[in-house]
Amino acid sequence: MRTSRARRAGGADETENGAAGGTVTGGRQWARADATRQALLSAALEVFADRGYADAGIAEIVERSGISVGSLYHHYGGKAGLYVALWEDLSAEQEASAAQAVSAARKDGETDPITLFIAGARAYLRVCWERRDAARLFLGGEGPSGSSLMRRSRAQHWIAQNTKLLRGAGEPAGRAEQVLSLVLTTVIGEAGREIATAESEAEATEIIEEVCRILIRLAR
């Protein structure tokens, strides 16, 4: 039982058990696997940015990462898997940042749905600048087969989430609320493109604040 708890926790029990419990070795294996995945993703992002997805080669990704081609296929299954992993990583960070901003605003006592929405939008757009190298990768729509469907699915998810946030507590959203959410989410998506290609942080911040002012006008 103690060994299984250590594996789940991955923390103090690993130190206590040491090699006798086998958890330190397991932890190191996980750490190596994480480092391998991160090296592959970092190299893939560089190569995709330099060559474009279609012209990017597995050999160059392997060379830049210093990881074996076997490990690449083991972890990601190939070039398409790397692309999808980069996309999911960026999307998850954008969503988490927005959710944290909304949660923080609520903890501060904010209840106005539009103000909460703007807090989430600003955080999302900030990630577009902070992760601009990754965000730029997806601007042109190039990618493996099925990537367009992946983007549409993510957009639908965001629209649904924003609709729930904007309507606040009460009745299910009507057609007007759904259309408003669609418009606002589209504005945010297009603004993200501009922010990712901004020439400086000052320019990106200026765009973010102007977009938020526009969103407020549209929402009210």
Side-chain angles (χ1 to χ4, degrees):
M1 291 294 293
R2 184 170 178 76
T3 300
S4 63
R5 284 198 301 271
R7 284 174 179 166
R8 287 197 299 270
D13 281 332
E14 285 189 8
T15 302
E16 293 170 8
N17 282 352
T23 54
V24 169
T25 300
R28 288 172 181 165
Q29 288 173 343
W30 279 111
R32 284 197 297 270
D34 288 342
T36 295
R37 285 190 287 265
Q38 188 55 55
L40 288 166
L41 289 177
S42 297
L45 178 58
E46 292 177 3
V47 176
F48 290 155
D50 290 346
R51 312 287 186 205
Y53 176 80
D55 294 332
I58 290 292
E60 187 172 2
I61 294 172
V62 167
E63 181 180 357
R64 291 201 194 190
S65 68
I67 306 298
S68 71
V69 67
S71 290
L72 185 154
Y73 280 102
H74 170 73
H75 288 293
Y76 295 107
K79 188 168 72 168
L82 286 163
Y83 181 96
V84 171
L86 286 166
W87 164 261
E88 290 179 343
D89 181 59
L90 175 62
S91 297
E93 184 170 345
Q94 290 169 327
E95 186 167 353
S97 182
Q100 288 167 6
V102 171
S103 178
R106 281 180 171 145
K107 286 181 180 178
D108 288 341
E110 185 58 64
T111 59
D112 177 55
I114 295 175
T115 302
L116 292 171
F117 174 80
I118 296 301
R122 180 179 282 108
Y124 172 94
L125 293 172
R126 193 71 209 168
V127 175
C128 291
W129 169 253
E130 293 170 352
R131 294 288 308 280
R132 54 195 175 278
D133 289 343
R136 288 169 185 161
L137 174 60
F138 307 107
L139 295 182
E142 184 186 8
S145 175
S147 58
S148 295
L149 179 61
M150 180 176 67
R151 291 190 183 92
R152 285 197 299 271
S153 177
R154 179 70 66 175
Q156 290 168 355
H157 168 74
W158 268 104
I159 291 168
Q161 291 294 100
N162 288 338
T163 301
K164 288 170 60 178
L165 180 59
L166 284 166
R167 77 168 184 259
E171 296 298 320
R175 179 62 65 186
E177 290 84 359
Q178 292 173 351
V179 172
L180 175 62
S181 179
L182 170 62
V183 170
L184 296 179
T185 304
T186 301
V187 170
I188 294 170
E190 291 302 313
R193 295 171 179 265
E194 294 301 315
I195 291 161
T197 56
E199 295 185 357
S200 66
E201 183 174 5
E203 181 182 351
T205 299
E206 183 180 357
I207 295 171
I208 291 171
E209 294 308 314
E210 183 58 33
V211 168
C212 288
R213 285 191 286 270
I214 291 170
L215 291 171
I216 292 171
R217 291 199 298 270
L218 290 172
R220 296 195 186 280

